[in-house]
Each structure stands twice: as structure tokens, then as C-alpha cells.
Amino acid sequence: MRHRPTHWNWIIALSLAAVLAGCSTAPSIEPTPSQQPPAVTGEHIGSGKASYYGSQHHNKLTASGERFDQGSLTAAHRTLPFGTRVKVINTRNGKSVVVRINDRGPFVRGRIIDLSKSAFERIGSTRSGVIPVRLEKTE
């Protein structure tokens, strides 16, 4: 003889299905670049000391594969993606410059960014060698 389920069996089965469905998650869909929200400008990235590349590095390959040009507005940062544009603000005089990250470094404790000589000269004197800065994201 075949067992006929009671209405309680159906209620239990539907409840169990609802609980299991509630535990699952929908697959995440990564937005395409055009759907990405715009970068927040002026967002504080960090503060520390900035130094600049010496002339002995001119025309050598950077970590991104391009040649270093001390006349360009570029910089090295340990973790920011290559191509990221960063506003570097000298906290002593308020002068700022926007640079593009194309290398890795600095690898000296307390330093947050290495600037090309040209970028450094826009916000401070190369005689000082190291200046206190604040970094902000730009578009």
C-alpha cells in the first residue's frame, strides 16, 4: 500500500525549501568599467614623506616597463596601480602637483612616494631632498 503524504508533510517540505533558498546567494556580477562608479576625487590616500629620484635613474626602465624621465610628472608608490593619478600636496607650503604612478617604491622607511625631479621641484626645493606630503586621489 502506498503512503499518502499528509498536509503537514507538504508544509514541512515547503518550509525546508524556503529556508534553503534563503541561505543561497545570487551570483555576483562584476560591473563593466563603464558601470563602475567614478573615483572619489580628493579622497585621502595617505601622508608621509616624499623624496625624488636622482639623476642616475634617468632613462632607466621603471617597474611598469616605461623609461624614467626626470622631466615628466611621474612617481613611484608601493601599492597604487600603474597609471593612477595622484595629487601630491606639500603640507608645509600647500603647493601641489598631480603625478602618474609608473614605478614601485620608495623602499625607505617613512617615505610614501618618490617623485620625478620635475614633480618634486613644483612643490618643494630639491635642496631639502625630503618633504612632508599628503596624497589624494584624482580623476
Side-chain angles (χ1 to χ4, degrees):
M1 181 168 187
R2 191 168 168 199
H3 181 276
R4 256 178 123 176
T6 65
H7 69 284
W8 289 109
N9 289 349
W10 282 106
I11 292 172
I12 292 171
L14 289 174
S15 298
L16 181 60
V19 167
L20 291 175
C23 292
S24 68
T25 59
S28 64
I29 299 172
E30 193 68 32
T32 62
S34 63
Q35 296 171 325
Q36 295 281 355
V40 177
T41 57
E43 180 184 347
H44 181 77
I45 297 173
S47 296
K49 293 180 179 164
S51 52
Y52 70 95
Y53 287 88
S55 58
Q56 72 272 21
H57 297 286
H58 183 69
N59 214 27
K60 293 192 177 172
L61 286 179
T62 64
S64 67
E66 65 184 84
R67 296 224 174 254
F68 173 67
D69 176 4
Q70 63 185 2
S72 65
L73 299 179
T74 57
H77 189 275
R78 287 185 204 103
T79 59
L80 290 173
F82 296 137
T84 301
R85 295 198 181 278
V86 177
K87 183 177 185 179
V88 182
I89 303 148
N90 181 333
T91 58
R92 285 199 184 127
N93 62 19
K95 292 182 179 181
S96 66
V97 64
V98 176
V99 296
R100 180 178 49 85
I101 303 300
N102 73 339
D103 202 6
R104 291 290 172 234
F107 300 109
V108 177
R109 184 179 215 158
R111 298 208 188 149
I112 193 169
I113 197 165
D114 265 338
L115 302 171
S116 65
K117 187 174 183 182
S118 179
F120 193 95
E121 288 173 332
R122 291 194 182 200
I123 61 172
S125 169
T126 55
R127 285 178 292 169
S128 62
V130 177
I131 55 175
V133 295
R134 183 175 76 247
L135 305 182
E136 294 179 357
K137 279 188 182 179
T138 65
E139 286 187 301

Short mmCIF file of all heavy atoms in Angstrom, two decimals, residues 37 87 105 117 130:
data_model
loop_
_atom_site.label_atom_id
_atom_site.label_comp_id
_atom_site.label_asym_id
_atom_site.label_seq_id
_atom_site.Cartn_x
_atom_site.Cartn_y
_atom_site.Cartn_z
N PRO A 37 31.45 53.09 -10.48
CA PRO A 37 31.23 54.46 -10.01
C PRO A 37 32.50 55.27 -10.22
O PRO A 37 33.60 54.74 -10.18
CB PRO A 37 30.93 54.29 -8.52
CG PRO A 37 31.46 52.96 -8.16
CD PRO A 37 31.44 52.13 -9.40
N LYS A 87 47.27 63.37 -6.54
CA LYS A 87 47.62 64.76 -6.20
C LYS A 87 48.52 64.70 -4.98
O LYS A 87 48.15 64.13 -3.95
CB LYS A 87 46.37 65.57 -5.91
CG LYS A 87 46.65 67.03 -5.63
CD LYS A 87 45.32 67.77 -5.44
CE LYS A 87 45.53 69.25 -5.29
NZ LYS A 87 44.23 69.95 -5.13
N GLY A 105 58.02 51.71 -5.25
CA GLY A 105 58.91 52.31 -4.27
C GLY A 105 58.14 53.37 -3.52
O GLY A 105 56.93 53.48 -3.73
N LYS A 117 62.07 64.36 -10.52
CA LYS A 117 62.68 65.63 -10.10
C LYS A 117 61.79 66.80 -10.49
O LYS A 117 61.59 67.74 -9.71
CB LYS A 117 64.07 65.78 -10.71
CG LYS A 117 64.81 66.99 -10.19
CD LYS A 117 66.24 67.01 -10.70
CE LYS A 117 67.00 68.20 -10.11
NZ LYS A 117 68.37 68.27 -10.64
N VAL A 130 63.74 65.80 1.01
CA VAL A 130 62.55 65.09 1.50
C VAL A 130 61.58 66.14 2.05
O VAL A 130 62.00 67.06 2.75
CB VAL A 130 62.92 64.08 2.61
CG1 VAL A 130 61.69 63.40 3.17
CG2 VAL A 130 63.91 63.05 2.09
#
